[in-house]
């Protein structure tokens, strides 16, 4: 497995892969460790996660540098990601016990109740774009619920995968409660097929989701899928335009645009399109692209060369189909996986920028004439992850938010994940939920006990 610095296109290090025998042995050890882990108390698990949170905070600089080096995230965003992982540890350390408390249900029985018990070994197939956060978002609630975890991370972030495993060990978690498998995607099926594995969660692209879901179906394992998105960012005529423009830049440019919940389709009332576009262009043209370790840089490289090819193809095909190039639309002349921040105007149905997920720094502006048309365009997508609506009328915002077919809608704010709120999608954005009480209940046996 190769770790390649995308800012320099340079090999950092190669890591050996686990053999089939090693994988089977790790699964076996993880399963065995689950027998005692599930009997531990919430207080004990919470104490370990609080310790892990402390280690994340005290080792933030080293862990952030590792992420930035392996996948090109700008260093400030790496810092924020590590902080967020620590927050998730503290959050579930405090709340998991109450979230999974027995529920008494009144029936004709002398006592009937619902209890929440761990499923066992949970296998996570994770992406590279938030190499720490995606893993913690799965691991913290799963382990707090009494499960044990196996990670197969994306092949381009092996250093992060091993660093996370190491953090669990150093924080004092019992051996094999959380283990990393160094395997390619071709070995995912045999892990899911292993009778000692009880459930699988995948965050990634549609094709990967489809494969993993089919394996889960074949071996009858519970699955959660967090897939792609093409979130709408609707700007209505009564929006605070200055703020909507400013937040749009963050909402699209986070992680160089490589975020499932980045705003991707900017659906703007036609009377504001010109002002919105010129406001955006002014900020975007001043963004500095370059070395992601330089704190004054806002745009780093994409994570791999093929991702630059993908975004470039989507931009060129959209331009060929009639989109208007406001700025960018090219690879800057510098070494590394860079793509210039790009604004496409006049985006219409039929163009890749309208239908596909654009996983890079590209704004697609779609003009609409009414609020009804805005909602209809927002829903005209194979995806259903998040979205934003900008209006000064908060009642109108809430009413419209209910009409958008996604797992989340933010009014006058950018879509973001928050341990207190459930996160996930509908349509081709996947199924199941992470975070909050809904997330921790995905991987538990919701068990009825009835006493006559
Ligand atoms: P990806 O290529 O689908 O990879 C994700 C993970 O799946 C990796 O570990 C990958 O392993 C594995 N994988 C790929 N193909 C597989 C297959 N056929 N069978 C089993 N496993 C397979 O996605 P990515 O490029 O890393 O991430 C980008 C995608 O993730 C975007 O679409 C983005 O929107 C989505 N995403 C969604 C969320 C969410 O919460 N909804 C969050 C972040 C990202 P290898 O690396 O070894 O191929």
């Amino acid at each position: 497995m190769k770790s390649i610095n995308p800012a320099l296109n340079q090999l950092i290090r190669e890591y050996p892969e686990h053999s089939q025998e090693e994988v089977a042995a790790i699964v076996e050890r993880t399963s065995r460790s689950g027998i005692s882990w599930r009997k531990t108390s919430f207080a004990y698990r919470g104490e370990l996660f609080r310790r892990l949170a402390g280690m994340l905070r005290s080792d933030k600089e080293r862990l952030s540098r590792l992420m930035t080096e392996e996948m090109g995230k700008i260093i400030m965003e790496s810092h924020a990601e590590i902080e967020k992982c620590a927050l998730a540890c503290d959050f579930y350390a405090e709340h998991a016990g109450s979230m999974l408390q027995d529920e008494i249900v009144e029936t004709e029985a002398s006592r009937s109740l619902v209890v929440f018990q761990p499923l066992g070994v949970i296998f996570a197939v994770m992406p590279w774009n938030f190499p720490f956060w995606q893993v913690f978002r799965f691991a913290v609630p799963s382990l707090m619920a009494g499960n044990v975890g196996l990670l197969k991370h994306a092949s381009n972030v092996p250093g992060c995968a091993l660093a996370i495993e190491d953090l669990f060990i150093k924080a004092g978690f019992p051996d094999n409660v959380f283990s990393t498998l160094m395997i390619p995607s071709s070995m995912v099926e045999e892990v899911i097929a292993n009778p000692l594995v009880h459930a699988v969660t995948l965050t990634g692209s549609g094709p990967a989701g489809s494969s993993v879901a089919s394996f889960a179906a074949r071996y009858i394992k519970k699955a959660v899928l967090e897939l792609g998105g093409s979130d709408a960012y609707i700007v209505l005529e009564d929006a605070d335009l200055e703020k909507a423009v400013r937040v749009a830049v963050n909402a699209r440019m986070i992680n160089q645009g490589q975020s499932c919940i980045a705003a991707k389709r900017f659906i703007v009332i036609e009377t504001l399109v010109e002002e919105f576009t010129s406001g955006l262009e002014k900020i975007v043209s001043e963004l500095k692209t370059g070395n992601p370790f330089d704190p004054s840089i806002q745009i780093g490289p994409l994570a791999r060369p093929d991702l630059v090819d993908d975004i470039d193809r989507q931009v060129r095909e959209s331009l060929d189909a009639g989109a208007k190039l406001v700025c960018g639309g090219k690879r800057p002349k510098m070494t590394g996986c860079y793509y210039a921040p790009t604004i496409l105007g006049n985006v219409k149905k039929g163009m890749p920028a309208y239908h596909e997920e654009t996983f890079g720094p590209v704004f697609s502006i779609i003009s609409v004439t009414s609020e009804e048309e805005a909602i209809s365009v927002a829903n005209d997508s194979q995806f259903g992850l998040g979205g934003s609506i900008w209006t000064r009328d908060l009642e109108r915002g809430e009413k419209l938010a209910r009409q958008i077919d996604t797992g989340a809608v933010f009014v006058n704010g950018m879509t973001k994940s928050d341990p207190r709120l459930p996160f996930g999608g509908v349509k081709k954005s996947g199924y199941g939920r992470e975070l909050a009480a809904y997330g921790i209940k995905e991987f538990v046996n919701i068990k009825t006990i009835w006493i006559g």
Side-chain angles (χ1 to χ4, degrees):
M1 236 162 243
K2 285 184 182 149
S3 190
I4 296 172
N5 180 338
L8 304 169
N9 285 339
Q10 260 175 17
L11 180 71
I12 304 165
R13 205 176 140 184
E14 279 194 66
Y15 295 84
E17 288 181 8
H18 284 131
S19 67
Q20 277 184 313
E21 294 68 35
E22 285 169 324
V23 169
I26 295 169
V27 174
E28 164 91 41
R29 287 200 294 272
T30 305
S31 170
R32 241 182 295 123
S33 74
I35 297 167
S36 43
W37 178 252
R38 64 185 290 140
K39 294 183 192 141
T40 59
S41 67
F42 285 112
Y44 171 70
R45 294 175 211 153
E47 194 187 306
L48 288 173
F49 272 109
R50 285 204 178 86
R51 206 179 301 158
L52 182 52
M55 288 177 53
L56 283 162
R57 291 188 179 107
S58 63
D59 212 4
K60 182 168 81 177
E61 198 52 47
R62 180 183 71 85
L63 301 170
S64 299
R65 294 186 74 80
L66 177 62
M67 243 192 295
T68 294
E69 191 175 43
E70 275 197 319
M71 52 69 68
K73 188 186 295 283
I74 57 173
I75 194 73
M76 307 304 273
E77 288 186 5
S78 292
H79 290 158
E81 184 166 336
I82 297 295
E83 290 285 351
K84 193 163 176 174
C85 294
L87 193 76
C89 292
D90 287 341
F91 176 77
Y92 278 108
E94 185 172 346
H95 298 291
S98 57
M99 286 170 172
L100 298 180
Q101 234 173 24
D102 297 351
E103 284 174 18
I104 306 294
V105 181
E106 290 300 326
T107 66
E108 67 286 359
S110 68
R111 179 171 153 85
S112 44
L113 65 158
V114 182
V115 299
F116 302 94
Q117 294 182 321
L119 289 183
V121 179
I122 316 297
F123 177 39
V125 182
M126 290 287 128
W128 46 266
N129 60 343
F130 293 93
F132 272 69
W133 172 238
Q134 301 293 356
V135 176
F136 275 78
R137 189 163 94 171
F138 130 75
V140 184
S142 298
L143 269 60
M144 277 304 301
N147 297 297
V148 286
L150 284 173
L151 167 68
K152 178 259 178 284
H153 218 324
S155 295
N156 57 326
V157 288
C160 291
L162 291 172
I164 294 169
E165 183 183 57
D166 190 51
L167 280 166
F168 277 86
I169 295 167
K170 297 219 168 93
F173 282 77
D175 289 348
N176 301 299
V177 159
F178 178 92
S179 306
T180 288
L181 299 173
M182 300 292 275
I183 55 171
S185 57
S186 55
M187 283 173 75
V188 163
E189 180 173 1
E190 68 180 69
V191 179
I192 296 174
N194 190 316
L196 298 175
V197 172
H198 298 93
V200 58
T201 177
L202 172 124
T203 300
S205 61
S210 179
S211 291
V212 164
S214 66
F215 303 144
R218 186 170 311 152
Y219 302 103
I220 315 188
K221 307 280 165 92
K222 166 82 192 261
V224 166
L225 299 180
E226 297 285 0
L227 308 178
S230 185
D231 289 3
Y233 189 97
I234 298 175
V235 183
L236 296 172
E237 71 291 342
D238 61 348
D240 175 342
L241 193 64
E242 187 274 324
K243 191 166 175 205
V245 168
R246 196 162 26 85
V247 175
V249 177
N250 287 340
R252 172 70 273 208
M253 290 304 178
I254 180 163
N255 212 24
Q256 282 80 247
Q258 305 164 114
S259 166
C260 51
I261 46 165
K264 291 173 186 134
R265 294 174 299 142
F266 294 80
I267 300 168
V268 184
I269 288 288
E270 68 176 343
T271 49
L272 290 183
V273 166
E274 215 178 297
E275 208 182 330
F276 180 80
T277 308
S278 61
L280 213 52
E281 186 187 3
K282 189 166 178 305
I283 304 179
V284 168
S285 59
E286 281 167 11
L287 295 176
K288 286 210 281 176
T289 301
N291 175 4
F293 283 103
D294 178 344
S296 72
I297 289 294
Q298 289 105 9
I299 306 287
L302 302 193
R304 291 189 316 241
D306 59 297
L307 297 163
V308 183
D309 295 341
D310 286 347
I311 199 83
D312 191 45
R313 183 216 24 105
Q314 289 171 317
V315 167
R316 277 187 294 102
E317 286 181 8
S318 300
L319 291 173
D320 289 346
K324 179 171 163 273
L325 186 65
V326 179
C327 65
K330 58 178 187 291
R331 301 163 197 248
K333 289 198 175 66
M334 52 207 282
T335 308
C337 302
Y338 290 95
Y339 198 75
T342 298
I343 302 176
L344 296 177
N346 197 38
V347 170
K348 295 231 168 9
K349 204 172 167 67
M351 299 176 185
Y354 183 101
H355 296 285
E356 297 176 11
E357 178 181 36
T358 50
F359 222 54
V362 175
F363 292 82
S364 302
I365 300 179
I366 302 167
S367 171
V368 290
T369 54
S370 64
E371 117 184 350
E372 291 75 24
E373 195 190 352
I375 299 298
S376 147
V377 171
N379 285 335
D380 185 19
S381 171
Q382 56 180 321
F383 299 108
L385 197 54
S388 302
I389 300 174
W390 290 80
T391 168
R392 283 197 172 87
D393 179 344
L394 303 187
E395 259 178 52
R396 181 189 191 195
E398 185 176 330
K399 187 184 98 202
L400 296 177
R402 290 172 189 273
Q403 296 172 27
I404 297 183
D405 302 330
T406 56
V409 180
F410 283 57
V411 178
N412 298 333
M414 63 183 264
T415 305
K416 47 187 179 217
S417 58
D418 176 330
R420 296 166 298 182
L421 294 166
F423 184 95
V426 295
K427 302 200 269 185
K428 288 208 170 153
S429 293
Y431 47 73
R433 289 292 176 270
E434 291 190 294
L435 301 177
Y438 297 92
I440 201 169
K441 286 185 176 153
E442 287 287 358
F443 295 121
V444 292
N445 174 14
I446 302 172
K447 182 163 147 187
T448 295
I449 299 181
W450 189 96
I451 301 162

